[in-house]
Amino acid sequence: KNNATTSGNDAKNAKKRIVALKRIICTDFDDANTVFQEVIAMRSFDHPNLVRYDDVFLENLNDTSFGVCIVMELYPSDLQRYLRKKKFKSEPKLIKYVKQLCEGIHYMHSHGLIHRDLKPENVFMKNKYRDLLIGDVQIMLCFYFSNKK
């Protein structure tokens, strides 16, 4: 991830902050457009245990490659780094993390979103390791199940 700064949509009222910029390289425009549309759809999802995407844009890298750039909050750590450094000393803390993960997964599934590679390095931590957020858009797919009759 690269660092970037953004002032948000309303430059007058927004404070500058450091953000993460994730670039997904696609070898043709159709793939880039599909990823771009999925990220646009995911921007409408709102859950405290899912990474929120602030912005997305396409860039033309050359004649055959395109980048889908996703702007999101920069998180200080992920679950993999946390697990390497700390041991779970309290059962309530572990239960809280499992509950947050389950709530995030339930929200994704209830909105037709499937994460195909959920692992500790795709789970980010914030608020001094109190909250978990599921991320890594590169391997998320949107499937809208037709439950409408």
Side-chain angles (χ1 to χ4, degrees), residues 27-79:
T27 55
D28 67 45
F29 182 76
D30 289 339
D31 288 345
N33 190 48
T34 298
V35 172
F36 182 81
Q37 294 303 323
E38 287 181 356
V39 174
I40 292 293
M42 285 184 275
R43 287 185 68 201
S44 67
F45 296 138
D46 185 22
H47 191 273
N49 300 114
L50 294 182
V51 169
R52 177 90 175 121
Y53 301 106
D54 298 328
D55 201 3
V56 59
F57 58 91
L58 282 173
E59 64 179 345
N60 189 354
L61 301 175
N62 57 44
D63 290 341
T64 60
S65 295
F66 301 87
V68 179
C69 299
I70 304 162
V71 180
M72 66 186 114
E73 185 176 342
L74 180 64
Y75 299 103
S77 189
D78 60 46
L79 187 57

Side-chain angles (χ1 to χ4, degrees), residues 3-15:
N3 289 344
T5 58
T6 183
S7 59
N9 293 334
D10 187 0
K12 294 177 186 175
N13 298 327
K15 294 181 182 178

